[in-house]
Amino acid sequence: MSVNQQAHTGPPYGQPQPGYQGFQQPAYGGQSLPGAPQSQYGAYNGPVPGYQQPVPPQGYFPSLGFPSKGSPVSLNSDTSLAPNFIGSLRAPPTSGAPPPASGASHPSGHVAYSQFEHGDVQNGIPASAAPMQRPPASQPFLPGSAPTPVSQISTFQQYGPPPGSVQQLRNHMAGMTIGSTAASAPPPAGLGYASVPPVSGSVSATGSGLYTPYSASQGAPPPSVSQALPVAQPPFPGQTVPTQRLPAQVPGFTPPPPSTGVGPSSYPPTTGAPRPPAMPGPPLPGQTLAGPPSSQPNHVSSPPPPSTMAGLHPGPPMSGLHGPPPPTHPPQPGYQMQQNGSFGQMRGPQPNYGGAYPGAPNYGSPPGPPPPPKRLDPDSIPSPIQVIEDDRNNRGSEPFVTGVRGQVPPLVTTNFLVKDQGNASPRYIRCTSYNIPCTSDMAKQSQVPLAAVIKPLATLPPEETLPYLVDHGESGPVRCNRCKAYMCPFMQFIEGGRRFQCCFCSCVTEVPPHYFQHLDHTGKRVDFYDRPELSLGSYEFLATVDYCKNNKFPSPPAFIFMIDVSYNAVKSGLVRLICEELKSLLDYLPREGNMEESAIRVGFVTYNKVLHFYNVKSSLAQPQMMVVSDVADMFVPLLDGFLVNVNESRTVIASLLDQIPEMFADTRETETVFAPVIQAGLEALKAAECAGKLFIFHTSLPIAEAPGKLKNRDDRKLINTDKEKTLFQPQTSFYNNLAKDCVAQGCCVDLFLFPNQYLDVATLGVVPYQTGGSIYKYAYFQLETDQYRFLNDLRRDVQKEVGFDAVMRVRTSTGIRATDFFGAFYMSNTTDVEMAGLDCDKTITVEFKHDDKLSEDSGALLQCALLYTSCAGQRRLRIHNLSLNCCTQLADLYRNCETDTLINYLAKYAYRGVLSSPVKTVRDALINQCAQILACYRKNCASPSSAGQLILPECMKLLPVYLNCVLKSDVLQPGPEVTTDDRAYIRQLVTSMDVAETNVFFYPRLLPLTKADVDSDSLPAAIRNSEERLSKGDIYLLENGLNIFVWVGVNVQQSLIQNLFGVSSFSQISNALSTLPVLENPFSKKVRSVVDMLQGQRSRYMKLIIVKQEDKLEMLFKHFLVEDKSLSGGASYVDFLCHMHKEIRQLLS
């Protein structure tokens, strides 16, 4: 079913919302949903207003494949097709093949139909008389164009009518040869051919099983392999095939032998998978359609040589371009072809997927009518799943050693081990590019933002070493005299080790006598490996008293729990739940490595319109309560006995937590205050002279008479107007001033919200946001469904590593400087990022600009220094260093970018932009910047080629799909059911997310659970986020870091439903489940272990939502199928790619 929905982060993050009933299920023909706004880019179904195009002349067919890392992706189209069709086209209807369904327009007289009911397509092999052909590994390109270095599409040429017979088709095919400057015979009209030569003189093919389906668990083909049409007999390994220019029609040559994979049954399954029978619909019960195991790359012979890795190319990676190939790429022997973005099983011809030869699906029949305008084949455009899988296969097995300057790390989706040898781990710092332009002019020309996403206290996996703590005694860490940079591996010792030259500002500083050490014959200190600050990228110094407030060492921090006891909180069971949980949770407060007990002291406050403080001094028999009703002038009524040691006051605290729910059980007070609660916590920490954290549990808009009182200003009519920005801004400046006071004291606020209506998150979130705290939101909180998620979040929040009273500064070497900062913090000057608290999940994103020229020889350096108080009250400095390369060639910049980090930066930049500009302006600026990035690449790094080609840099080929996900997100394009609070909540959440979190948030992970191997520990291979990848007979899991959806198709076998849900039929599955039932069978155990594994990878506990196909909740689920069109008007991936191509062409012309 092609109801394409928005990638949508749901109503209040996952609750069922009213208003989905009775939505219509459209049929397969790509009709738009009644009531759905049109995508702003127009559907890509042939000519559309705004894309006025003639029907393409016969014979114009693009097609597309993917190279591996190291070659740009080029998507081809012809100048005469403005929407720039990219990729292999859907087949025109011919005898024996169903007409294209989804999204393709039909010639008059044809009825759009599908042989499936809705939802039933998709990864099975549908019934069709036409056996689908497998394109081969490599192919010469079209006459008249110069050689194309790497696999991609060629330009279109116009040729005669389609072949009328098998013989004629063979005649066409045999004119194709493989070689370095091959010319090909023209493909017959009506066949979607891409013909592109290999990167270098020969392609060695190993064995006859050269062509395999493109199961996304495999790597994309490497640069030397182009995805195109069948070739004549592949050469033997090592054999060079001479090439000649061939005339347009070469008469009579031998048909290709079956070993090349051209015959009707030439479709060897991917390694290790049985070939599925051709059958309609989903696979038969019990039938396995697994692709190769994901750990096994889809390569016939050797793993890719290093030149296929990004960042290691001798010459600029190119592909799909016209012009002589760079001679520096070595040929790459025998890789298998891959051709399909879906995982786990091969896709045969299906409705809306033409076979490999769309014009002549069965050889004997007469050619069909002239092709109608085509819809782009989603399998032919860059697949996130494929890129992620390739990176896992290529880079997941080796440790990432940080000794080399400017290395691009593996993707965040790859599991890899880091060995620190002088640069900080990518777990601490990731950059948008690891090779930055030498001049500001070059940076402006490319428009690639230079930014680093820094997570100073990131958690490391158990097998990696935590940063070493270095104690230099009373003299403190050694620093540069001028710029105050800390000693690091890039400092240069001179004059026999008596002085050192700063790598940041070049100033020469005397080495303190106690730190002196001789140099060896290479100029290195002889104690180089004994000192973390000389040999490692990340380490900590113990700070001296000079680094402390008021020149005295800090006290250990305190935690204050502040519980809303108004009517809603008591009635919902929330107050009792919190009190019960705190009894046991207080034993798990964070502590320093080897300490017996935590040094953190705790205090308790409850509030509604007034505040109640509790004395829980260990000497008391019962806790004492003190009420402060003058909320306009907040003070703390007791000093001694408010903040206590948990072990000493254990019995008094337990007694208090038992009494609170009883004391307020009959309350009728519905109004609450909010600002005075924060003021009370702040005053308590001031009185105790320590930093700390407030855990505030709050339920409603604070309308009671008090400072910081708010009114309900929610107004959906402002959406899409110039005043929309006010919805994201705080109502009053009161909270900004309060936040400033909190930061000065080191008072961090974590806010747990339980709203049943508008709460004004934009205003209440100001203090948590500016103090480095977190917000958690549980809309329409219900004890039975939400308590598990809330308690898991609370436990993790209380236990996680956190630094208090933190200040961070980023120093850079001469030539660039930090100019802009994004995240949850406060800045009182232009250089220091101040946070009352900084935990292990928070990131700070820093943008750099040029202020001078850089040199290729010396590169560029960053040093992030974080000064903070540990949870034991120890003042420390954590240092992270990173060295980057600098380049004078744009191609080097584009070869060393990291798209995931780029998207993280762009999303934060846009989400800050909505505070001051209309949302439409922000969206247009994003599209424009990305078009400029890609147009600059096209103009300066790609060989000259037809303007009809969309050519993407290899490491940015996912920029369009990910950017579209950001544009369709709730903040920038809300659906009708997204509340103002949701948007404010998401805006704040994303601003301090790390790269892994934004990656899964914007492009959720979709896993076919029914394909999971119950005997292995691994996750099932992911599939692309589109409805046409779903099959009615399967169960899928989708996660985005906040929610986990389990989608159940209507035709799922009864035995699977019984095993997973413990009920006997589809209709009995309950939507109200918040956890999966614990059943003793392999399938239930496997699915629960998958859910647990995903929960363990995320910083928040994800809400589990069960979605039955064709149920009202399915609309919510479809919001997250981000490659499809969204109900709020967001474009599908295919449409957006065409729109981006149009924008790029406008810039180039």
Side-chain angles (χ1 to χ4, degrees):
M1 204 152 114
S2 279
V3 187
N4 295 332
Q5 279 338 2
Q6 180 186 1
H8 173 72
T9 38
Y13 284 85
Q15 354 356 307
Q17 285 283 91
Y20 284 145
Q21 292 86 343
F23 64 88
Q24 288 191 273
Q25 293 277 9
Y28 253 67
Q31 309 93 316
S32 62
L33 198 71
Q38 283 301 310
S39 141
Q40 66 270 49
Y41 310 126
Y44 197 54
N45 298 346
V48 174
Y51 275 163
Q52 301 291 339
Q53 288 321 324
V55 170
Q58 268 228 44
Y60 276 73
F61 285 98
S63 94
L64 165 67
F66 295 133
S68 76
K69 224 166 171 74
S71 61
V73 178
S74 109
L75 306 178
N76 221 15
S77 83
D78 189 271
T79 32
S80 69
L81 295 172
N84 311 322
F85 293 70
I86 309 156
S88 17
L89 300 163
R90 303 288 168 85
T94 52
S95 57
S102 163
S105 44
H106 307 277
S108 56
H110 280 253
V111 181
Y113 77 99
S114 145
Q115 71 261 55
F116 300 104
E117 279 306 312
H118 3 260
D120 196 6
V121 190
Q122 286 124 275
N123 287 345
I125 309 279
S128 160
M132 177 165 164
Q133 305 302 333
R134 194 36 73 190
S138 170
Q139 173 73 20
F141 60 107
L142 299 174
S145 52
T148 321
V150 185
S151 118
Q152 279 334 332
I153 320 317
S154 60
T155 46
F156 310 152
Q157 305 285 351
Q158 194 165 355
Y159 296 118
S165 67
V166 180
Q167 183 57 42
Q168 212 179 323
L169 182 78
R170 286 175 178 157
N171 292 356
H172 280 304
M173 284 162 45
M176 303 170 200
T177 50
I178 299 184
S180 57
T181 52
S184 77
L191 305 192
Y193 278 3
S195 28
V196 184
V199 170
S200 65
S202 68
V203 170
S204 38
T206 47
S208 61
L210 191 62
Y211 320 116
T212 359
Y214 184 15
S215 134
S217 52
Q218 272 55 311
S224 64
V225 180
S226 89
Q227 279 164 286
L229 266 263
V231 294
Q233 175 103 37
F236 294 105
Q239 172 195 350
T240 310
V241 183
T243 62
Q244 330 80 353
R245 194 131 201 129
L246 294 160
Q249 294 278 342
V250 181
F253 42 75
T254 51
S259 67
T260 55
V262 173
S265 63
S266 69
Y267 214 154
T270 38
T271 344
R275 163 152 193 199
M279 57 177 186
L284 299 169
Q287 176 191 352
T288 58
L289 291 176
S294 36
S295 60
Q296 176 186 342
N298 192 9
H299 302 330
V300 182
S301 55
S302 55
S307 72
T308 61
M309 307 285 259
L312 302 176
H313 290 288
M318 302 276 188
S319 85
L321 318 175
H322 299 269
T328 45
H329 287 258
Q332 294 170 11
Y335 289 127
Q336 292 188 341
M337 199 18 234
Q338 302 136 355
Q339 175 50 50
N340 175 348
S342 66
F343 263 137
Q345 67 191 58
M346 306 179 296
R347 296 165 66 122
Q350 320 192 22
N352 44 358
Y353 286 81
Y357 307 145
N362 33 4
Y363 290 162
S365 64
K374 290 296 187 296
R375 176 174 182 267
L376 210 51
D377 178 359
D379 277 346
S380 65
I381 55 183
S383 156
I385 303 301
Q386 187 65 40
V387 171
I388 287 168
E389 205 53 46
D390 292 351
D391 194 75
R392 277 189 189 139
N393 293 337
N394 295 334
R395 307 197 63 183
S397 49
E398 292 294 305
F400 178 69
V401 180
T402 71
V404 182
R405 182 175 88 190
Q407 280 186 102
V408 183
L411 298 181
V412 281
T413 42
T414 299
N415 276 331
F416 59 99
L417 205 63
V418 179
K419 290 200 168 146
D420 184 342
Q421 291 192 359
N423 282 294
S425 158
R427 302 190 205 291
Y428 295 123
I429 306 183
R430 277 186 178 264
C431 294
T432 52
S433 178
Y434 288 80
N435 200 333
I436 62 181
C438 282
T439 64
S440 61
D441 289 347
M442 204 172 143
K444 282 194 190 95
Q445 188 186 355
S446 74
Q447 287 284 313
V448 175
L450 304 175
V453 180
I454 306 174
K455 197 176 183 182
L457 298 179
T459 310
L460 299 185
E463 52 276 17
E464 289 177 22
T465 317
L466 291 168
Y468 289 99
L469 182 60
V470 179
D471 183 0
H472 282 312
E474 290 193 4
S475 59
V478 178
R479 303 175 70 174
C480 165
N481 271 345
R482 184 199 286 159
C483 72
K484 300 289 183 249
Y486 294 86
M487 180 53 66
C488 72
F490 312 118
M491 298 287 190
Q492 190 69 44
F493 287 87
I494 53 176
E495 297 175 26
R498 286 190 297 281
R499 310 171 87 189
F500 69 90
Q501 183 167 25
C502 176
C503 51
F504 294 95
C505 70
S506 306
C507 174
V508 173
T509 300
E510 293 284 331
V511 173
H514 72 90
Y515 196 71
F516 173 78
Q517 188 53 273
H518 295 285
L519 308 184
D520 66 10
H521 63 287
T522 64
K524 258 185 188 169
R525 284 174 54 126
V526 295
D527 62 353
F528 176 81
Y529 290 108
D530 304 331
R531 290 194 175 271
E533 73 273 22
L534 298 181
S535 54
L536 298 176
S538 300
Y539 41 87
E540 291 198 308
F541 291 119
L542 205 53
T544 58
V545 75
D546 306 334
Y547 291 87
C548 302
K549 254 189 205 158
N550 308 325
N551 281 12
K552 63 182 215 188
F553 285 112
S555 311
F559 282 1
I560 304 177
F561 296 92
M562 316 185 89
I563 306 167
D564 174 348
V565 289
S566 64
Y567 177 74
N568 276 345
V570 174
K571 188 188 69 167
S572 65
L574 181 62
V575 173
R576 189 175 296 278
L577 182 69
I578 293 167
C579 291
E580 280 304 312
E581 178 60 28
L582 287 179
K583 285 185 205 169
S584 53
L585 187 55
L586 294 177
D587 288 332
Y588 297 96
L589 298 176
R591 65 185 87 175
E592 243 14 275
N594 47 10
M595 290 172 58
E596 290 287 307
E597 61 173 51
S598 174
I600 293 173
R601 291 170 299 161
V602 297
F604 303 89
V605 171
T606 56
Y607 67 94
N608 39 44
K609 264 170 50 172
V610 298
L611 277 76
H612 322 105
F613 293 78
Y614 297 93
N615 183 345
V616 282
K617 201 171 174 181
S618 55
S619 55
L620 295 174
Q622 283 294 323
Q624 295 172 345
M625 171 171 158
M626 298 186 182
V627 180
V628 176
S629 52
D630 181 8
V631 289
D633 183 19
M634 185 45 62
F635 67 100
V636 179
L638 73 162
L639 287 181
D640 192 27
F642 179 63
L643 294 177
V644 297
N645 173 294
V646 174
N647 280 339
E648 290 170 9
S649 297
R650 182 173 299 279
T651 51
V652 194
I653 291 172
S655 170
L656 171 67
L657 294 172
D658 283 336
Q659 288 176 38
I660 287 174
E662 305 309 324
M663 262 190 295
F664 298 99
D666 299 324
T667 185
R668 285 281 167 269
E669 185 53 73
T670 55
E671 293 188 357
T672 56
V673 295
F674 184 69
V677 182
I678 297 174
Q679 288 170 327
L682 172 62
E683 292 302 323
L685 294 177
K686 270 187 188 164
E689 295 184 349
C690 68
K693 188 181 262 201
L694 313 182
F695 295 84
I696 302 181
F697 305 91
H698 189 78
T699 61
S700 59
L701 190 70
I703 54 173
E705 237 3 279
K709 171 186 173 181
L710 300 180
K711 60 180 192 292
N712 187 336
R713 52 156 186 169
D714 189 16
D715 186 0
R716 293 194 59 83
K717 291 198 287 295
L718 298 181
I719 292 178
N720 295 328
T721 68
D722 285 353
K723 288 191 175 167
E724 184 171 4
K725 57 180 181 253
T726 60
L727 297 175
F728 296 110
Q729 298 164 354
Q731 279 189 41
T732 152
S733 60
F734 182 88
Y735 288 95
N736 296 73
N737 298 327
L738 181 55
K740 185 177 166 184
D741 296 341
C742 287
V743 172
Q745 181 55 41
C747 168
C748 175
V749 178
D750 279 1
L751 182 56
F752 293 81
L753 294 172
F754 306 86
N756 289 335
Q757 56 204 18
Y758 178 72
L759 193 74
D760 203 348
V761 173
T763 306
L764 298 189
V766 167
V767 178
Y769 184 68
Q770 293 191 15
T771 58
S774 306
I775 305 179
Y776 297 85
K777 180 163 164 284
Y778 310 87
Y780 309 107
F781 178 82
Q782 289 180 311
L783 208 58
E784 54 282 1
T785 53
D786 296 318
Q787 66 165 329
Y788 197 61
R789 179 165 62 110
F790 161 58
L791 293 178
N792 272 285
D793 283 341
L794 177 59
R795 284 167 197 155
R796 191 167 186 283
D797 197 56
V798 167
Q799 294 173 41
K800 67 186 172 188
E801 181 188 357
V802 57
F804 293 95
D805 231 336
V807 182
M808 185 182 102
R809 182 176 283 191
V810 178
R811 292 180 173 82
T812 52
S813 54
T814 314
I816 53 169
R817 62 195 172 86
T819 56
D820 209 351
F821 301 84
F822 303 83
F825 53 74
Y826 174 79
M827 290 186 83
S828 56
N829 58 34
T830 55
T831 54
D832 295 337
V833 174
E834 299 173 53
M835 293 155 289
L838 172 68
D839 64 48
C840 55
D841 299 321
K842 294 283 184 305
T843 61
I844 293 95
T845 301
V846 185
E847 187 181 6
F848 302 98
K849 291 261 166 49
H850 286 75
D851 56 8
D852 204 346
K853 281 198 171 119
L854 294 163
S855 98
E856 281 190 280
D857 301 335
S858 53
L861 300 174
L862 315 178
Q863 183 178 79
C864 161
L866 176 79
L867 175 65
Y868 71 100
T869 302
S870 75
C871 57
Q874 202 174 49
R875 201 71 176 146
R876 294 182 179 182
L877 282 154
R878 180 170 287 202
I879 312 295
H880 298 298
N881 302 289
L882 186 64
S883 59
L884 302 172
N885 286 330
C886 296
C887 59
T888 52
Q889 298 297 317
L890 282 165
D892 293 325
L893 163 70
Y894 282 102
R895 199 182 297 116
N896 293 280
C897 288
E898 236 246 309
T899 300
D900 291 321
T901 311
L902 191 56
I903 288 292
N904 179 285
Y905 164 83
L906 290 171
K908 290 172 181 177
Y909 184 78
Y911 280 18
R912 185 178 69 185
V914 298
L915 291 172
S916 51
S917 307
V919 171
K920 183 177 186 318
T921 311
V922 173
R923 294 165 49 81
D924 293 345
L926 270 185
I927 294 172
N928 185 41
Q929 182 169 5
C930 287
Q932 286 189 326
I933 290 171
L934 298 174
C936 174
Y937 174 80
R938 171 63 188 264
K939 184 177 172 189
N940 299 288
C941 307
S943 312
S945 59
S946 149
Q949 273 183 305
L950 171 56
I951 300 178
L952 303 171
E954 169 57 20
C955 62
M956 284 190 190
K957 64 185 178 189
L958 298 181
L959 188 61
V961 62
Y962 286 164
L963 177 70
N964 191 33
C965 296
V966 174
L967 293 170
K968 294 190 332 182
S969 63
D970 287 341
V971 173
L972 299 182
Q973 194 164 31
E977 71 300 325
V978 184
T979 67
T980 309
D981 275 346
D982 284 335
R983 296 178 73 196
Y985 174 60
I986 290 305
R987 196 191 75 75
Q988 294 199 5
L989 209 55
V990 168
T991 307
S992 49
M993 276 186 183
D994 71 8
V995 180
E997 288 172 321
T998 49
N999 174 275
V1000 78
F1001 180 75
F1002 289 115
Y1003 192 94
R1005 180 151 52 163
L1006 182 59
L1007 307 174
L1009 294 178
T1010 22
K1011 306 276 189 297
D1013 177 0
V1014 294
D1015 300 321
S1016 95
D1017 292 338
S1018 60
L1019 293 170
I1023 59 174
R1024 289 171 68 170
N1025 271 327
S1026 169
E1027 192 179 342
E1028 58 184 23
R1029 309 283 165 174
L1030 304 179
S1031 149
K1032 274 188 166 179
D1034 287 323
I1035 300 175
Y1036 298 85
L1037 179 149
L1038 181 144
E1039 65 125 352
N1040 74 338
L1042 295 182
N1043 301 309
I1044 289 182
F1045 293 92
V1046 174
W1047 182 91
V1048 186
V1050 288
N1051 293 349
V1052 172
Q1053 295 166 26
Q1054 190 189 337
S1055 59
L1056 285 176
I1057 291 174
Q1058 183 70 51
N1059 284 343
L1060 188 56
F1061 299 103
V1063 295
S1064 55
S1065 71
F1066 178 81
S1067 59
Q1068 292 174 300
I1069 299 170
S1070 163
N1071 284 11
L1073 291 175
S1074 57
T1075 52
L1076 290 168
V1078 177
L1079 303 171
E1080 285 306 311
N1081 65 70
F1083 185 60
S1084 172
K1085 284 180 183 161
K1086 175 66 187 177
V1087 172
R1088 283 181 289 114
S1089 84
V1090 166
V1091 170
D1092 291 345
M1093 195 184 302
L1094 299 181
Q1095 293 283 21
Q1097 291 170 6
R1098 304 290 167 224
S1099 61
R1100 290 166 182 251
Y1101 196 83
M1102 295 181 281
K1103 175 172 182 148
L1104 182 79
I1105 300 170
I1106 308 293
V1107 178
K1108 290 150 73 174
Q1109 188 179 358
E1110 296 169 12
D1111 186 66
K1112 63 178 186 289
L1113 267 179
E1114 198 182 23
M1115 294 304 267
L1116 176 59
F1117 170 73
K1118 286 180 186 171
H1119 273 305
F1120 297 90
L1121 298 176
V1122 291
E1123 289 196 22
D1124 297 339
K1125 215 182 264 173
S1126 71
L1127 267 185
S1128 53
S1132 70
Y1133 175 20
V1134 167
D1135 292 345
F1136 184 70
L1137 198 56
C1138 298
H1139 178 73
M1140 282 302 284
H1141 190 183
K1142 193 173 145 215
E1143 295 279 320
I1144 291 165
R1145 285 175 61 174
Q1146 279 173 349
L1147 288 170
L1148 291 174
S1149 60

